[in-house]
Amino acid sequence: MKKQDLIFILCVITCFLPFFLSEEVFNFYVGFNKAHGMVTSFVKFALLATLGEVIGLRMKTGAYYQKGFGILPRAVVWGFLGLTIKLAFVIFATGTPIFLAYLGLEGATEVMKGAFSADKLLVAFAISACMNLIYAPVMMTLHKITDIHIIDNGGSLAGLLKPIQFSNIFQKLDWGVQWNFVFKKTIPFFWIPAHTFTFLLPPDYQVLFAAVLGIVLGVLLAIASLKSAK
């Protein structure tokens, strides 16, 4: 660990500490998130998932910044991806219990409002599995495409305004890494269990835990980029 790592860790702790030490700050955050969920999702993923990618860059190059990496355009992309993640949370958390009730698990919607039980664990797992098997691969592939687009345009904000060459980039993707690591390992062994736990938490803590997972998401996708580069 170097001096830059200590400074980086101290900066991160300083940013998060008020949420744990000040009940007023925490309550403001919870209230604002309830009133403006999409806004906070944009900001949350723009900051935290990009933070995860910066950590991934440190793992790859030994530095937290590299010319052409494009921290700002990555933050913008993560902000918009955060909107789709929030959308997915709402859709699958609402729709999956209804589908389970259709299959015969009566009270699947109501059980998520109650105390922990085997049924609640089952429903939370089903929500997480549906979301990560249906939505996550699309989001992760789109992220990889935008990642390549940002690098191809020198990491500039102006590059985001240029048309994305989906056809060309799609052929460049390392599908071996995308399938064998991103899809086949991170989804079943990390994301489904992690989001199962998320949906078991009280709503206020779901927000905070999902924010922390945003950092992990950035790190894991950065690791996937490392594997593709080898």
Side-chain angles (χ1 to χ4, degrees):
M1 183 175 288
K2 299 181 179 179
K3 182 179 179 180
Q4 62 174 343
D5 299 312
L6 292 175
I7 295 174
F8 180 82
I9 292 171
L10 286 174
C11 289
V12 172
I13 292 175
T14 302
C15 290
F16 279 98
L17 208 56
F19 294 95
F20 295 95
L21 297 182
S22 173
E23 186 176 349
E24 184 177 343
V25 172
F26 177 78
N27 290 336
F28 171 79
Y29 172 73
V30 171
F32 188 86
N33 183 74
K34 287 181 178 179
H36 309 284
M38 297 304 283
V39 174
T40 52
S41 291
F42 184 97
V43 174
K44 180 172 59 183
F45 280 92
L47 294 177
L48 298 177
T50 305
L51 176 63
E53 289 211 69
V54 169
I55 294 172
L57 180 65
R58 171 68 176 88
M59 294 165 59
K60 178 181 179 181
T61 66
Y64 289 102
Y65 175 77
Q66 186 178 61
K67 186 177 180 180
F69 182 69
I71 292 178
L72 288 180
R74 286 171 188 270
V76 172
V77 169
W78 271 120
F80 283 104
L81 288 177
L83 298 180
T84 72
I85 292 171
K86 177 64 175 180
L87 175 67
F89 261 71
V90 173
I91 289 175
F92 286 99
T94 304
T96 305
I98 294 174
F99 179 67
L100 292 175
Y102 171 78
L103 293 178
L105 183 60
E106 296 182 4
T109 300
E110 289 71 23
V111 77
M112 291 303 294
K113 301 175 184 178
F116 178 78
S117 64
D119 283 346
K120 186 172 184 178
L121 177 61
L122 174 63
V123 175
F125 173 79
I127 295 171
S128 179
C130 288
M131 184 176 72
N132 282 288
L133 293 175
I134 297 172
Y135 161 76
V138 177
M139 185 277 291
M140 291 173 174
T141 301
L142 179 60
H143 167 266
K144 185 59 182 176
I145 290 172
T146 58
D147 185 36
I148 293 174
H149 176 74
I150 289 170
I151 293 173
D152 286 348
N153 287 278
S156 66
L157 277 171
L160 290 179
L161 301 177
K162 297 181 180 180
I164 299 177
Q165 304 298 319
F166 281 96
S167 179
N168 293 335
I169 295 176
F170 214 75
Q171 296 177 52
K172 290 183 185 178
L173 293 182
D174 188 336
W175 289 104
V177 171
Q178 195 74 0
W179 169 254
N180 289 310
F181 176 71
V182 177
F183 295 167
K184 201 165 72 172
K185 291 183 179 177
T186 70
I187 288 178
F189 298 119
F190 180 78
W191 290 113
I192 291 179
H195 283 132
T196 298
F197 179 74
T198 301
F199 287 115
L200 288 173
L201 294 173
D204 291 343
Y205 291 95
Q206 286 182 21
V207 173
L208 287 177
F209 192 66
V212 174
L213 289 180
I215 300 177
V216 180
L217 177 59
V219 171
L220 288 176
L221 293 180
I223 291 173
S225 295
L226 285 175
K227 290 179 174 290
S228 296
K230 291 181 179 179

